[in-house]
Amino acid sequence: MSDYSLSDDDYYNDEDMFDITQDDDDMNMDDYTEDFKVDTNSKRKSYEIEYESLNQPAVEKLMQQDVAYIIGILGVDSSIAARLLRHSSWNKERLIEKYMDNPNTILVAAGVTAPEPPSVTSPIRTHIGDRRTTRSASKIISTLSSSSKTSSKASSSSYQPAQTRLKAERFVCPICYDDSSDLQTASLDCDHLFCTGCWTTYITSKIRDEAEHCIRCMAEGCCLVAPDTFIQSALAGEGEPTWARFQELLVRHFVSCNPNLKYCPHPGCTNTVSCPAAASKSSLTTVVPAVSCGARGIPGSPEALTSAVAAKEHYFCFGCPIDSDHRPVVCSVAKMWLKKCADDSETANWIKSNTKECPKCQSTIEKNGGCNHMTCKKCKHEFCWVCMGPWSEHGTSWYSCNRYEEKSGTDARDAQSKSRASLERYLHYYNRWANHEQSAKLSLDLYAKTEKKMEDMQITSSLTWIEVQFMKKAVEEADKCRMTLKWTYAMAYYLARGNEKELFEDNQRDLEQAVEELAELLEQPIEADAIPTLRQKVTDKTVYVHKRNEIVLEDTANGFLEGRWKWNARVEGFDEPDQADLV
Amino acid sequence: MDARLRRVNKEIADCKNDKASGIKIELIDESPFHLKGIFPGPEGTPYAGGTFLVDIIIPESYPFQPVKMKFITKVYHPNVSSASGAICLDILKDAWSPVLTLKSTLISLQSLLCSPEPNDPQDAEVAKHFTTSKGSFEDTATYWTQIYAGGPGKKGVSTASSGDGKDEVAMAGLEKAHVDQFEALGFQRGKVIDVLRRLNYRGKNVTQISEDRVVEELLK
Ligand SMILES: [Zn+2]
Ligand SMILES: [Zn+2]
Ligand SMILES: [Zn+2]
Ligand SMILES: [Zn+2]
Ligand SMILES: [Zn+2]
Ligand SMILES: [Zn+2]
C-alpha cells in the first residue's frame, strides 16, 4: 500500500505543472485536443481506457467513407447511398445483402423510389429555381460528386421545371393556398408539387421541432425521403443554421447506430468519442470507460475562455448514461446506486441542506466552503460536518469517518429496527456521497473568488502570473478526488463485508483525509507575503492527494480485472452473491 | 397576413360552403386557433344518430405539425379514451401530412368510428370489451351515444333507466344479473361495477373468471 513515493512522479513535478497551466492561458479547442492526445498516448494505467475523441468533421469523414463504399459496391449515386445507409442504420453488410436480394424493396423502404413503377431508379428532380440548385453543395456532397457523376443511374433527362409544365392552369399550393403567378415550386421524384416557401417551413419544422433527419414528402401517404441536396437548397440563405443542425442530426444518428461511438452528452457539444474497448456489454464488468471528448465548458460561451475551472472538461461514461466520470465504480453498480438515491430521495433530502446545528451549542452553522472541518463561531467547538463528531478525533489512524460500523445481528431483531438499521446504513453512505458533491461545488465557488483575489495580488505585488496559479491546479485536483470519493461510497454501499472491503475503505479513508487537508489549506486567507510558503504547502499536498487518488483508482480497477470484488446485492453481469453476504 | 391564419380562415370558409359532408367547424372563443369540430355519427354503427363534438387546437407550426384533436363528447370506442377523449389515430401523429385539412381529419375521425383498431388501443379496457364480445360492446357504445351524443338508443333497451337518466350497469357494458349477484354478497354496487368492468366480466370471459377471483378483487 505504501510503495509510492512523491519524487518518482514526473507528471507532477513543478515544471510540468506550470507547463500545463501555461497551456491553459491561450486556451482553445486545438490545445485541448493536443493535451488530450498527449494523455492517451502516454502509458495507460489500469483505470484508464483507450479511446479517441472525434469532432464533427471527423465523424462526417467516417460517414463519407461508408457512403463511398456503398457507391462502389452498389453503383448508386451518393444521395441514394446515403439514404440507403441511414435506412439500414448504417449496417453496410445488411444493406448490401438486402439490396442484392431485391434492390427495389429496399429502395422503396428507404424512401428513394415510389412503390410504382417498380423497375427504374430515377434520379431526384428538384424544381427549386435553377440558380439555387446549382449552388455549391455541402462538403459531403462536393467530395462525392465525382462518384455521383459516374453513377449509371444518374440522369437529368427527366428534369422538368414545374413552372413551364403547369403554365396552362394556374398552380395553387395545396398547403398555403397561394396561387401567385410567380410562385416558386418544387417536388421530389414523386412530382408532388408544393411551393418552395412551404417546403422550407416544413423542412425547418421537421429539423427544429422534431429533430428529424429523415424528411418525407409532404403529400399524404407519400413515403419518398428528400435527398440532402434538396434539403440544402430549401435551407439556403436564412436556413443555414437549420442546415447545420440537420448535419448534426445526421452525425448523431450515425453515432447512435455504431456501438463503438458515443456522442458527447454535454450541452451544445458536437464531439464524439470512439471507444471500441467498451463497446460490448460484457466489458463493462471489468472496466469503467470514463472518457472525455476533449472539449470544455459550453462551446461558444465566453466562460470557456475565461475560467478553466468553471469550464470543466467534458468527462462522461462511455458505457452508461451517466454524464460524468464515475470511476472507480462500474456502470451497473453506479446505476443501482443512483436508482436507490432517486427512490429514497425524500428521506435523504435533509442531508443536502447547507445548514446544520452545532452539536454543542445548537447555534445554526452554514457551510460555505468545501472543507468539512467546522468551527462554531459562537462556542468555538470544532467538529466534522459529515459525522458531526468532534474534529479532534479525525485525522488519527483509529478514527474512521468513512466506515459504517455494522450493528451486530442481535441489535436488529424485529422488522422495524431492521428497516431502521438499513436506512441508517444507507444514510451513512448517502451522506458522504452527497457531501463530496456539495463540497466540490463549494470549493469551485470559493476558487472563483480566490482567483480574482490572486489576480489582483499579481498586480499589486511582485508575484508573477505563474506564481499565483498553483491554486487552480490544487482546486482541480481536489475536485477530481472528490468525484472519486463520491463514487467510492456508492461502491462501498454494495461491497460485501470482509477483508477486501476493509482494504478498500482504508484507501478511501486515506484519500479522504488527504483531500480534507488540502481543502483546509485552500480556505486559508491569502496574504501576499505568505504566498511562497502557502504555495509550497499546497503544491506538496496536491502531489500527495494526486497519488492517493491514483491508488484508489488503480487498486479498484485491478480488483475488477481480477474479479476480486464481491457484492452484498445482485449486480447485473456479476456472479450471484453469497447468501451470507446479502443485506 | 400570417400564413397559418390565412390557411385556417380558408379551411373554415371551405367547410362552411360544403354542406354535403355534414362536417361543421365553429369557433370556441375569439381565437381562430382553438376550434370545435362537429360531425354526425356514421350510419350503420353504434354511433349512428349521435352528434360528436371535437376540440381542435391548431399549433404554431400548423399545417407542418399535426393539429391537436380530442373528443369533447364522450365516446365508447377502443381508440378513444373513455375518460379524456384522447384519440389514437396515426394521422394525428407520424402519418400527418401538411396536405391534410381540419375537414379531412374530422372525416378520418368519423371513419375511425366505423372501423375500430383494437390492436392499437387508446383505451385498453374498452378494447378488451370489443375483442371479447362485440355484441355487448356495441350495446354499450350505442348506449353511450344515446346518453352523451343524443343518439336514439337501442329499441326496447334502457328506456327504464331512472333518476339522472344513466344506467351505470349499461354504461359499464355489464349485465344486470352479474352485478346483482355480487351485490347480494354484501358489496357496494359501485364497487362491483368497477371490479367487473376492470376484469372484463363479459361474454365467454364470465365462465373463465371464478367467483372467488371476483370476490378477491372486491375485498382489495
Ligand atoms: Zn405553399
Ligand atoms: Zn411525394
Ligand atoms: Zn463534449
Ligand atoms: Zn458508466
Ligand atoms: Zn457551537
Ligand atoms: Zn467525520
Side-chain angles (χ1 to χ4, degrees):
Chain A
M1 243 358 63
S2 57
D3 58 346
Y4 61 88
S5 72
L6 303 185
S7 52
D8 66 1
D9 188 1
D10 52 6
Y11 169 71
Y12 243 94
N13 69 39
D14 242 11
E15 238 176 73
D16 271 9
M17 189 171 131
F18 293 133
D19 274 2
I20 290 164
T21 329
Q22 237 166 345
D23 277 352
D24 288 353
D25 184 25
D26 43 13
M27 187 184 303
N28 61 44
M29 285 298 231
D30 289 340
D31 277 355
Y32 281 115
T33 321
E34 266 336 287
D35 279 356
F36 158 81
K37 272 179 187 155
V38 170
D39 272 349
T40 48
N41 288 345
S42 62
K43 194 174 163 285
R44 257 192 315 119
K45 309 251 171 44
S46 61
Y47 58 84
E48 290 170 334
I49 195 157
E50 200 175 350
Y51 66 92
E52 195 188 345
S53 172
L54 306 166
N55 58 15
Q56 188 168 320
V59 179
E60 281 169 349
K61 213 166 156 189
L62 294 177
M63 295 165 73
Q64 286 161 25
Q65 281 167 10
D66 281 1
V67 169
Y69 176 77
I70 291 301
I71 292 169
I73 302 244
L74 304 182
V76 293
D77 73 28
S78 69
S79 110
I80 293 174
R83 277 173 294 167
L84 286 173
L85 276 164
R86 288 171 209 163
H87 169 75
S88 316
S89 303
W90 293 87
N91 186 329
K92 299 187 284 282
E93 290 68 38
R94 205 176 56 197
L95 163 60
I96 292 164
E97 198 179 297
K98 279 193 173 174
Y99 192 92
M100 294 307 183
D101 189 39
N102 185 344
N104 199 52
T105 310
I106 192 160
L107 283 167
V108 169
V112 175
T113 53
E116 288 184 20
S119 55
V120 204
T121 312
S122 42
I124 303 310
R125 282 157 291 170
T126 84
H127 303 290
I128 292 179
D130 289 350
R131 190 182 53 78
R132 291 174 77 187
T133 40
T134 51
R135 258 182 58 104
S136 72
S138 75
K139 243 189 302 176
I140 307 176
I141 290 159
S142 62
T143 48
L144 293 172
S145 59
S146 54
S147 349
S148 70
K149 266 175 214 148
T150 59
S151 161
S152 57
K153 278 163 181 162
S155 90
S156 56
S157 59
S158 52
Y159 181 89
Q160 186 183 22
Q163 293 96 316
T164 42
R165 186 155 46 101
L166 291 173
K167 219 156 220 168
E169 30 172 328
R170 193 159 218 187
F171 176 75
V172 182
C173 174
I175 290 167
C176 64
Y177 304 142
D178 194 337
D179 61 354
S180 329
S181 55
D182 58 349
L183 195 65
Q184 293 246 323
T185 59
S187 82
L188 302 182
D189 230 11
C190 50
D191 289 335
H192 293 128
L193 209 59
F194 304 99
C195 82
T196 54
C198 282
W199 271 117
T200 302
T201 321
Y202 170 73
I203 290 170
T204 306
S205 173
K206 282 281 168 192
I207 294 168
R208 292 274 166 201
D209 303 340
E210 296 178 49
E212 183 60 77
H213 66 82
C214 175
I215 295 168
R216 298 191 178 278
C217 171
M218 289 196 279
E220 193 196 354
C222 181
C223 289
L224 282 204
V225 173
D228 294 359
T229 42
F230 187 89
I231 290 165
Q232 192 183 21
S233 305
L235 297 176
E238 274 178 38
E240 290 293 349
T242 307
W243 169 246
R245 170 84 177 131
F246 174 70
Q247 284 172 303
E248 185 194 318
L249 291 173
L250 290 178
V251 168
R252 279 176 180 273
H253 175 245
F254 173 77
V255 168
S256 74
C257 290
N258 190 331
N260 291 337
L261 301 177
K262 189 167 170 178
Y263 208 75
C264 176
H266 289 260
C269 188
T270 55
N271 287 349
T272 294
V273 164
S274 164
C275 183
S280 77
K281 230 184 151 132
S282 58
S283 66
L284 298 178
T285 56
T286 51
V287 291
V288 184
V291 298
S292 155
C293 83
R296 282 180 177 244
I298 299 168
S301 78
E303 173 202 60
L305 299 166
T306 51
S307 171
V309 174
K312 287 220 223 168
E313 189 170 343
H314 292 182
Y315 271 104
F316 62 96
C317 179
F318 192 87
C320 74
I322 297 176
D323 56 2
S324 60
D325 174 359
H326 64 70
R327 280 179 299 192
V329 69
V330 287
C331 297
S332 49
V333 174
K335 207 164 72 190
M336 278 168 74
W337 172 254
L338 288 182
K339 189 178 180 303
K340 168 102 189 134
C341 294
D343 293 350
D344 294 7
S345 62
E346 266 171 54
T347 14
N349 252 350
W350 62 273
I351 287 167
K352 284 185 191 154
S353 100
N354 251 338
T355 55
K356 282 180 187 172
E357 280 178 4
C358 165
K360 211 168 179 187
C361 76
Q362 274 77 49
S363 62
T364 305
I365 294 174
E366 196 179 344
K367 198 179 192 205
N368 55 16
C371 174
N372 289 328
H373 180 179
M374 307 306 291
T375 306
C376 173
K377 278 207 177 77
K378 223 170 144 195
C379 73
K380 305 293 173 215
H381 176 59
E382 293 179 60
F383 64 98
C384 164
W385 178 264
V386 180
C387 67
M388 302 301 276
W391 189 256
S392 54
E393 294 175 0
H394 285 66
T396 56
S397 56
W398 58 271
Y399 190 89
S400 51
C401 175
N402 67 322
R403 185 166 296 164
Y404 179 71
E405 301 301 339
E406 306 265 357
K407 308 269 186 308
S408 59
T410 46
D411 282 2
R413 259 161 302 183
D414 55 276
Q416 205 186 344
S417 60
K418 241 180 209 161
S419 87
R420 185 120 160 245
S422 112
L423 179 64
E424 222 174 83
R425 183 176 167 277
Y426 163 67
L427 287 178
H428 169 89
Y429 292 100
Y430 180 78
N431 198 350
R432 282 147 185 83
W433 147 277
N435 185 63
H436 279 299
E437 183 156 80
Q438 186 198 31
S439 297
K441 202 192 154 288
L442 292 172
S443 331
L444 289 182
D445 292 351
L446 185 75
Y447 175 71
K449 286 183 217 142
T450 314
E451 192 180 38
K452 176 86 186 56
K453 197 177 165 191
M454 308 251 310
E455 272 161 17
D456 292 348
M457 247 184 240
Q458 185 205 333
I459 299 162
T460 56
S461 71
S462 61
L463 291 163
T464 64
W465 186 85
I466 283 173
E467 280 171 310
V468 298
Q469 290 304 300
F470 65 94
M471 291 287 275
K472 186 200 279 183
K473 198 70 218 173
V475 169
E476 281 185 334
E477 194 61 50
D479 180 54
K480 215 163 101 187
C481 295
R482 286 206 187 276
M483 289 307 116
T484 307
L485 281 167
K486 185 178 109 167
W487 288 103
T488 59
Y489 283 107
M491 172 118 176
Y493 179 77
Y494 291 108
L495 272 181
R497 265 178 284 173
N499 270 346
E500 295 298 344
K501 182 174 187 174
E502 274 173 33
L503 289 173
F504 179 82
E505 286 180 328
D506 287 345
N507 286 333
Q508 180 189 42
R509 181 202 54 217
D510 291 348
L511 174 59
E512 191 156 66
Q513 267 174 15
V515 171
E516 294 306 343
E517 282 160 19
L518 178 61
E520 203 159 339
L521 277 179
L522 294 177
E523 281 182 29
Q524 285 188 357
I526 293 171
E527 306 299 339
D529 49 350
I531 281 190
T533 334
L534 182 63
R535 180 180 161 212
Q536 192 53 52
K537 276 193 193 164
V538 167
T539 308
D540 288 352
K541 196 55 93 183
T542 306
V543 171
Y544 178 66
V545 157
H546 175 81
K547 205 65 214 184
R548 295 262 38 133
N549 191 37
E550 293 240 290
I551 289 168
V552 170
L553 292 175
E554 208 147 21
D555 183 65
T556 316
N558 289 336
F560 281 115
L561 290 168
E562 296 156 13
R564 205 196 312 146
W565 304 119
K566 300 277 174 276
W567 309 107
N568 59 27
R570 203 164 280 131
V571 178
E572 195 191 332
F574 288 84
D575 295 342
E576 283 283 308
D578 289 345
Q579 205 57 35
D581 289 336
L582 287 173
V583 292
Chain B
M1 188 169 41
D2 168 36
R4 175 173 70 136
L5 184 60
R6 184 175 61 202
R7 159 130 175 187
V8 171
N9 281 341
K10 180 143 190 311
E11 285 198 45
I12 295 171
D14 281 355
C15 204
K16 223 171 227 138
N17 293 332
D18 171 26
K19 297 276 187 291
S21 66
I23 307 253
K24 276 187 238 153
I25 296 169
E26 292 174 359
L27 292 170
I28 286 182
D29 42 44
E30 257 89 285
S31 166
F33 304 125
H34 186 194
L35 305 166
K36 184 165 68 180
I38 302 157
F39 66 82
E43 288 304 319
T45 70
Y47 312 98
T51 302
F52 293 87
L53 273 57
V54 176
D55 185 78
I56 302 172
I57 290 172
I58 293 160
E60 201 75 49
S61 39
Y62 181 83
F64 303 101
Q65 292 293 319
V67 61
K68 293 185 172 69
M69 288 193 181
K70 68 170 189 183
F71 276 102
I72 299 168
T73 310
K74 277 178 150 300
V75 185
Y76 199 75
H77 187 283
N79 306 106
V80 180
S81 161
S82 56
S84 69
I87 303 158
C88 180
L89 182 63
D90 59 353
I91 58 157
L92 291 176
K93 293 174 236 164
D94 313 342
W96 170 259
S97 153
V99 173
L100 295 173
T101 61
L102 300 177
K103 191 175 91 183
S104 69
T105 308
L106 288 167
I107 290 171
S108 298
L109 287 187
Q110 200 178 26
S111 64
L112 178 70
L113 294 187
C114 300
S115 44
E117 261 305 332
N119 296 324
D120 185 20
Q122 174 73 37
D123 194 308
E125 276 184 21
V126 177
K128 267 190 243 160
H129 190 185
F130 180 89
T131 34
T132 39
S133 72
K134 193 138 183 270
S136 159
F137 161 83
E138 283 179 348
D139 287 348
T140 310
T142 309
Y143 188 63
W144 278 50
T145 305
Q146 181 193 357
I147 295 292
Y148 296 118
K154 205 175 155 194
K155 280 171 212 85
V157 173
S158 307
T159 41
S161 56
S162 56
D164 58 358
K166 270 193 259 174
D167 177 349
E168 295 299 336
V169 178
M171 289 292 299
L174 298 168
E175 276 175 45
K176 193 172 170 297
H178 294 147
V179 176
D180 291 347
Q181 178 197 340
F182 289 100
E183 195 184 16
L185 296 175
F187 293 104
Q188 236 196 325
R189 196 171 177 81
K191 175 124 201 203
V192 173
I193 292 173
D194 212 49
V195 165
L196 293 183
R197 196 193 58 225
R198 255 191 303 115
L199 290 174
N200 192 20
Y201 201 77
R202 296 157 183 139
K204 60 179 187 301
N205 263 7
V206 172
T207 53
Q208 279 159 22
I209 301 170
S210 72
E211 238 171 78
D212 287 353
R213 172 94 180 81
V214 178
V215 171
E216 190 189 306
E217 282 296 315
L218 282 164
L219 286 171
K220 267 184 192 167

